[in-house]
Amino acid sequence: MAEFSRKERDRQLRRSDIFAAAEHIFALKGYHKATIRDIAKEAQYATGTVYLHFKDKDELYLSLFTEKLKTMLSIVEEKMSLAKDAKGKLETFVRESLVFFEDNLDFFRIFVSEADEMMIAEKGLRNTPAGQKFERYMADIVKQAQREGVIRSDFEPTQVLDILIAIMKSYVLKWFREDGKGRKGLAGMSDMIIKCLLNGISGR
Amino acid sequence: MAEFSRKERDRQLRRSDIFAAAEHIFALKGYHKATIRDIAKEAQYATGTVYLHFKDKDELYLSLFTEKLKTMLSIVEEKMSLAKDAKGKLETFVRESLVFFEDNLDFFRIFVSEADEMMIAEKGLRNTPAGQKFERYMADIVKQAQREGVIRSDFEPTQVLDILIAIMKSYVLKWFREDGKGRKGLAGMSDMIIKCLLNGISGR
Amino acid sequence: MAEFSRKERDRQLRRSDIFAAAEHIFALKGYHKATIRDIAKEAQYATGTVYLHFKDKDELYLSLFTEKLKTMLSIVEEKMSLAKDAKGKLETFVRESLVFFEDNLDFFRIFVSEADEMMIAEKGLRNTPAGQKFERYMADIVKQAQREGVIRSDFEPTQVLDILIAIMKSYVLKWFREDGKGRKGLAGMSDMIIKCLLNGISGR
Amino acid sequence: MAEFSRKERDRQLRRSDIFAAAEHIFALKGYHKATIRDIAKEAQYATGTVYLHFKDKDELYLSLFTEKLKTMLSIVEEKMSLAKDAKGKLETFVRESLVFFEDNLDFFRIFVSEADEMMIAEKGLRNTPAGQKFERYMADIVKQAQREGVIRSDFEPTQVLDILIAIMKSYVLKWFREDGKGRKGLAGMSDMIIKCLLNGISGR
DNA sequence: CATGAATGAGCTTTCATTCAT
DNA sequence: TATGAATGAAAGCTCATTCAT
């Protein structure tokens, strides 16, 4: 059984290596210009090795995406569970997501580049188990926020989520643009994002 | 000179034909799965003819994007000029953009699929003259709105714009999802979008 | 229309070039070890050019096979039509087939190598329009021979055909083996083949 | 030495296992579409194990073929030795071969698919010790039949053999085609095949 | 010896781009 | 200028073969 678990652990190691390489290459070149050869080389494996772990390029891409998303969500959810009310949960969601993005810029690049396309495409994130689980989870929190009077009841939870993510994206992209040394942590923007979502940007 | 202008007019006609075809095909298949042959066939030209008007696939794509965007903006700007204050201009921008999207669903599909990627990529919209002109124009309006007290002064105009566009996109995507007969016009959503931007979605 | 026919003629020329190359390469290496690159190079075209004329390797192979077979049969049928009775037709069939084989040794090699496999496989010759037309045509001649009392009536025409072809193949293969200068024309064997088929090889 | 023979016996067992699997897979998929992994899996060994017993795929294939053929011939030869004259031997050869084919349909499929190709190819059966031994053995029988006046003397023994095999193949293929329940045993066809060979199919 | 993960050469196929007509 | 056949680089993917365990 130790034997077995070592094998399984090795397997996961390979997957991780490939994921890491794929994350980098996909972020660098985008889905279509990235080649399996590139990724294999980056991971220091032979081309064929990639195919021992992933049926094809699509599966690698989608796996990478959902795996990473799951990781992010499991981290974020854990922190969210500590918050006492829905508003706190949303704040936590924003803050911790930003932390994760900052730690995983390559992933964020992929997330941004493909997120909207995936929303429309049939094979997109939204039709993925992981994606749907996330959507349901977040929708529940939004509903709770609506019950608690934090969010107006005439908004569809799914769309609230879309808007929140859109605002977050816009903030991270701005942060991207001012690339360089002087920029502060992304997480510091979470309060402003929440305020922007809840109260808007009205001058009065 | 009449000779010359006829030639030039013909030239523009070819471009338009190709643009129309490209818009359709790109929207249908996405950038990478669309082939130049597809587009040429749709436009009822030979493959090579496309290359008499566009250096390569990238240029065709970007030209289509910016040309269309210019068209949209020139329409929207004209309507905006009729509004008396900055808030009115913003309302007009949202409303008329939605009208344009509804009339040009293929273009919107492209817009959504690629917009974010283009924001990051070196070759993206933001580094385009048209894109920068638009950005400056809209930034001015936002600044005016800030002077008029409609928008808080501590927001960077560019980002306000990003957020506004993000919210609009989220609305149009929702509208897309409920595809079918019973859905109402997009333009009707403009008030809600502005309210969402300015006042947020706070329950109180 | 001259324009059109020139184009069409050119098209046929390309096809012929590719067929000739394919015939050679397939005969040399067999179906599986032959690559499209090989064939294209032999025909002095680029790889992609082959795909302008044939959907894929299978289609090229089958087209080559059936086209060639059609050519052979049209030649053979014409000569057969001159024979007065069924026996004469069969003799003509054998003789002229052998002539064709001798003139198209590469094709014969393919024919021999793949014929039996194709008989079994679903995609085989026997399910091809050309193949079925040939089979029906020959079966009719065998039936006529049976009516004329040349062939016993208790044989299934299709099988008579199989046996005839089998005997012919065995003769051509023997002729192949004694490769070299001293060997005589294949066509000279036709009488012996017919006798072998009709009367067997009995010593008395 | 008992030790040695146990080892050797085990070795033969592995070979047999692999042969059985290979026979099945090759018959099912054909030489090229069959993969070593398929065969190893079918035999419940690891891929590499196959290579401990066979240099490469080709050798496995050829070994399978010749081994099986040797088995068949040793069975057939034993029965043939009981026949009193050459004609009886030939009859036995046909009958017992058919019995063997019926018991080893997978092998027969391979035999049919590849037999002719192997005849031509340099690596073919005919250049194999087993193949040559068989050929000599059968040629001797044919010669004896010629001495006994059963077969005309002006036929080359080798070719008589080819024709006989060709006719047998045509019968078995016909039997294959009428796949189903109602078909009778192959062995029953042996008389007709001999008659066909010796006396032909002449109507009178 | 047995294993099976890893290798990487090599295949088919696509398609942006060119250029002779 | 318009054409579209020809090009050939490059991609995804397979699988015979090897070799560390």
Side-chain angles (χ1 to χ4, degrees):
Chain A
M1 214 199 84
E3 197 58 21
F4 175 76
S5 70
R6 186 179 58 87
K7 248 189 190 169
E8 182 53 27
R9 196 206 47 192
D10 273 16
R11 214 187 143 64
Q12 290 305 327
L13 242 93
R14 302 279 172 280
R15 267 181 82 95
S16 295
D17 287 347
I18 295 169
F19 269 152
E23 193 176 341
H24 189 207
I25 299 291
F26 279 137
L28 202 65
K29 308 198 172 189
Y31 177 77
H32 289 285
K33 298 206 170 164
T35 73
I36 296 286
R37 266 178 174 73
D38 287 341
I39 292 168
K41 191 174 288 177
E42 170 90 8
Q44 292 182 296
Y45 288 111
T47 314
T49 307
V50 174
Y51 286 89
L52 294 177
H53 297 268
F54 303 94
K55 200 176 103 283
D56 56 22
K57 200 183 173 185
D58 263 28
E59 192 191 291
L60 169 56
Y61 187 74
L62 214 62
S63 293
L64 167 62
F65 201 97
T66 56
E67 202 94 332
K68 204 82 193 194
L69 203 63
K70 257 196 281 189
T71 305
M72 171 175 138
L73 294 179
S74 77
I75 292 173
V76 174
E77 282 182 24
E78 196 184 326
K79 306 262 184 181
M80 277 198 278
S81 68
L82 303 175
K84 57 184 194 306
D85 56 9
K87 196 183 171 193
K89 280 181 204 296
L90 287 175
E91 284 167 351
T92 309
F93 170 74
V94 173
R95 190 180 347 99
E96 298 302 328
S97 296
L98 294 178
V99 168
F100 188 87
F101 284 153
E102 197 167 350
D103 292 343
N104 296 273
L105 285 184
D106 277 344
F107 172 67
F108 178 69
R109 235 188 138 92
I110 296 171
F111 182 80
V112 163
S113 289
E114 314 285 345
D116 283 337
E117 191 162 12
M118 303 206 103
M119 296 291 169
I120 309 185
E122 332 74 59
K123 267 198 143 188
L125 178 63
R126 239 184 184 112
N127 302 316
T128 273
Q132 293 183 341
K133 180 168 164 282
F134 162 67
E135 207 165 7
R136 258 175 286 128
Y137 178 82
M138 289 302 296
D140 283 345
I141 291 174
V142 171
K143 278 177 209 159
Q144 193 187 332
Q146 290 177 319
R147 278 196 303 276
E148 293 179 6
V150 181
I151 292 177
R152 277 169 44 190
S153 302
D154 54 345
F155 276 95
E156 199 185 293
T158 306
Q159 199 189 2
V160 170
L161 185 57
D162 283 353
I163 295 176
L164 174 55
I165 290 174
I167 296 176
M168 287 171 68
K169 246 163 60 176
S170 102
Y171 269 87
V172 184
L173 283 175
K174 178 182 160 248
W175 179 84
F176 246 119
R177 258 175 268 137
E178 38 184 71
D179 78 325
K181 327 87 213 193
R183 73 183 175 192
K184 294 175 190 153
L186 264 173
M189 297 175 171
S190 57
D191 284 353
M192 187 163 306
I193 290 171
I194 288 288
K195 240 180 271 172
C196 181
L197 174 72
L198 294 182
N199 304 323
I201 61 175
S202 162
R204 190 93 342 252
Chain B
M1 210 195 90
E3 197 55 19
F4 176 76
S5 70
R6 184 180 58 89
K7 258 192 184 167
E8 181 54 26
R9 194 206 51 194
D10 276 12
R11 216 187 142 63
Q12 290 305 325
L13 247 111
R14 304 276 174 281
R15 270 180 79 95
S16 293
D17 288 345
I18 295 169
F19 271 152
E23 190 177 343
H24 189 207
I25 299 290
F26 279 137
L28 201 66
K29 309 197 171 186
Y31 177 77
H32 282 93
K33 298 205 170 165
T35 70
I36 297 286
R37 270 188 78 172
D38 286 343
I39 292 168
K41 192 174 290 175
E42 172 91 7
Q44 291 182 295
Y45 287 109
T47 313
T49 308
V50 174
Y51 284 85
L52 296 176
H53 296 267
F54 303 95
K55 197 176 105 278
D56 56 23
K57 200 183 174 186
D58 264 27
E59 192 191 291
L60 167 57
Y61 188 73
L62 210 64
S63 295
L64 165 64
F65 198 95
T66 55
E67 202 93 334
K68 202 81 192 191
L69 204 62
K70 255 196 281 189
T71 305
M72 172 176 137
L73 294 179
S74 77
I75 292 174
V76 173
E77 282 182 26
E78 196 185 326
K79 305 262 183 181
M80 275 197 278
S81 68
L82 303 175
K84 57 183 193 305
D85 56 10
K87 195 183 173 193
K89 282 179 202 296
L90 287 175
E91 284 167 351
T92 308
F93 170 74
V94 173
R95 189 177 351 95
E96 297 303 327
S97 296
L98 294 179
V99 168
F100 188 86
F101 283 154
E102 199 166 350
D103 291 345
N104 296 273
L105 285 183
D106 277 345
F107 171 66
F108 179 69
R109 237 192 136 89
I110 296 170
F111 181 80
V112 163
S113 289
E114 314 287 345
D116 284 335
E117 191 160 11
M118 303 206 105
M119 297 288 170
I120 310 184
E122 334 73 56
K123 272 196 142 189
L125 178 64
R126 236 175 188 121
N127 303 314
T128 270
Q132 292 181 340
K133 178 167 166 281
F134 163 68
E135 208 165 9
R136 259 174 286 128
Y137 178 83
M138 289 303 296
D140 284 345
I141 291 174
V142 172
K143 279 178 208 160
Q144 191 188 333
Q146 290 176 320
R147 277 195 305 275
E148 292 179 6
V150 181
I151 292 177
R152 276 169 45 191
S153 303
D154 54 345
F155 276 96
E156 197 185 296
T158 306
Q159 198 187 4
V160 170
L161 184 57
D162 283 353
I163 295 176
L164 174 56
I165 290 174
I167 295 175
M168 286 171 68
K169 243 164 61 177
S170 104
Y171 269 89
V172 184
L173 283 175
K174 178 180 161 250
W175 180 83
F176 247 120
R177 258 176 267 138
E178 39 186 67
D179 78 325
K181 326 86 212 191
R183 74 183 174 191
K184 294 174 190 154
L186 265 173
M189 296 176 170
S190 56
D191 284 352
M192 186 162 306
I193 289 172
I194 288 289
K195 242 181 266 172
C196 181
L197 174 73
L198 293 181
N199 305 323
I201 61 175
S202 162
R204 184 84 346 246
Chain C
M1 213 198 85
E3 198 56 20
F4 176 77
S5 71
R6 185 180 57 87
K7 248 190 189 169
E8 182 53 27
R9 197 205 48 192
D10 274 16
R11 216 189 141 63
Q12 291 305 326
L13 241 98
R14 303 278 173 282
R15 266 180 82 97
S16 295
D17 288 347
I18 294 169
F19 269 152
E23 193 176 341
H24 189 208
I25 299 290
F26 279 136
L28 200 67
K29 309 199 171 186
Y31 177 77
H32 289 285
K33 298 206 169 163
T35 71
I36 296 287
R37 262 181 177 70
D38 288 341
I39 293 168
K41 192 174 289 177
E42 171 88 8
Q44 290 182 297
Y45 288 110
T47 314
T49 307
V50 175
Y51 286 89
L52 294 178
H53 296 268
F54 303 95
K55 202 177 101 281
D56 56 22
K57 201 183 172 185
D58 262 28
E59 193 190 291
L60 169 57
Y61 187 74
L62 214 62
S63 293
L64 166 63
F65 201 96
T66 56
E67 203 93 331
K68 205 81 193 191
L69 203 63
K70 257 196 282 190
T71 305
M72 172 177 139
L73 294 180
S74 76
I75 293 173
V76 173
E77 282 184 25
E78 196 184 325
K79 308 260 184 182
M80 276 198 276
S81 67
L82 303 175
K84 57 182 193 306
D85 56 10
K87 195 181 171 196
K89 281 180 202 296
L90 286 175
E91 285 167 352
T92 309
F93 171 75
V94 173
R95 191 179 349 97
E96 298 303 328
S97 296
L98 293 178
V99 168
F100 189 87
F101 284 154
E102 198 167 350
D103 292 343
N104 296 272
L105 286 183
D106 277 343
F107 172 66
F108 178 70
R109 232 189 139 92
I110 296 170
F111 182 80
V112 164
S113 289
E114 314 285 345
D116 284 337
E117 190 160 14
M118 301 205 103
M119 296 288 170
I120 310 184
E122 333 74 56
K123 266 198 145 188
L125 178 62
R126 240 183 182 113
N127 302 315
T128 272
Q132 291 181 341
K133 179 166 164 282
F134 163 68
E135 207 165 8
R136 258 175 288 128
Y137 179 82
M138 290 303 296
D140 283 345
I141 291 174
V142 171
K143 279 177 210 159
Q144 194 188 331
Q146 290 175 320
R147 278 195 305 275
E148 293 179 7
V150 180
I151 292 177
R152 276 168 44 191
S153 302
D154 54 345
F155 277 95
E156 197 184 295
T158 306
Q159 200 189 2
V160 170
L161 185 56
D162 283 353
I163 295 176
L164 174 56
I165 290 175
I167 295 175
M168 286 170 68
K169 245 163 59 175
S170 102
Y171 270 88
V172 183
L173 283 174
K174 177 180 161 250
W175 179 84
F176 247 119
R177 259 176 267 136
E178 38 186 68
D179 78 325
K181 328 83 214 196
R183 75 183 172 191
K184 295 174 189 153
L186 265 173
M189 298 176 170
S190 57
D191 284 352
M192 186 162 306
I193 289 171
I194 288 288
K195 244 180 265 168
C196 180
L197 174 71
L198 293 182
N199 305 323
I201 61 175
S202 161
R204 189 89 349 244
Chain D
M1 209 194 90
E3 195 58 18
F4 175 77
S5 70
R6 184 181 58 88
K7 257 191 186 170
E8 182 53 26
R9 195 205 49 194
D10 276 13
R11 212 186 144 65
Q12 290 306 324
L13 248 111
R14 304 274 173 283
R15 270 181 79 94
S16 295
D17 289 345
I18 295 168
F19 271 151
E23 191 177 342
H24 189 207
I25 300 291
F26 279 135
L28 201 65
K29 308 198 173 188
Y31 178 77
H32 282 95
K33 296 203 170 165
T35 71
I36 297 286
R37 270 188 78 174
D38 286 343
I39 292 168
K41 192 173 289 176
E42 171 91 6
Q44 291 183 295
Y45 287 109
T47 313
T49 307
V50 174
Y51 284 85
L52 296 176
H53 296 268
F54 303 94
K55 197 175 106 282
D56 56 22
K57 200 185 175 185
D58 264 26
E59 192 191 293
L60 168 57
Y61 188 74
L62 209 64
S63 295
L64 166 62
F65 198 95
T66 55
E67 202 92 334
K68 203 83 192 189
L69 204 62
K70 255 195 283 189
T71 305
M72 172 176 139
L73 295 179
S74 77
I75 292 174
V76 174
E77 283 182 25
E78 196 185 327
K79 307 262 182 182
M80 276 198 279
S81 68
L82 304 175
K84 56 181 193 308
D85 56 9
K87 196 182 173 196
K89 281 181 203 294
L90 287 175
E91 285 167 351
T92 309
F93 170 74
V94 173
R95 191 179 350 97
E96 297 302 328
S97 295
L98 294 178
V99 168
F100 188 86
F101 283 154
E102 199 167 351
D103 292 344
N104 296 272
L105 286 183
D106 278 344
F107 172 66
F108 178 70
R109 236 191 136 88
I110 296 170
F111 182 79
V112 163
S113 289
E114 314 286 344
D116 284 335
E117 191 161 11
M118 303 205 106
M119 296 289 169
I120 310 184
E122 334 73 58
K123 272 194 143 190
L125 178 64
R126 241 184 182 112
N127 303 315
T128 271
Q132 293 181 340
K133 177 167 165 283
F134 163 68
E135 208 164 9
R136 259 174 286 127
Y137 178 82
M138 288 302 295
D140 283 346
I141 292 175
V142 171
K143 279 177 208 158
Q144 194 187 331
Q146 290 176 319
R147 277 194 305 276
E148 293 178 8
V150 181
I151 292 177
R152 276 167 46 190
S153 303
D154 53 346
F155 276 96
E156 196 185 296
T158 306
Q159 198 188 4
V160 170
L161 184 57
D162 283 352
I163 296 176
L164 175 55
I165 290 175
I167 296 176
M168 286 171 67
K169 243 164 62 177
S170 107
Y171 270 88
V172 184
L173 283 175
K174 177 180 161 250
W175 179 84
F176 247 120
R177 259 177 265 137
E178 38 186 69
D179 78 326
K181 325 87 211 191
R183 73 184 173 190
K184 294 173 189 156
L186 265 174
M189 297 177 172
S190 56
D191 284 354
M192 185 162 307
I193 290 171
I194 288 288
K195 239 179 273 171
C196 181
L197 175 71
L198 294 181
N199 306 323
I201 60 175
S202 163
R204 188 91 346 251

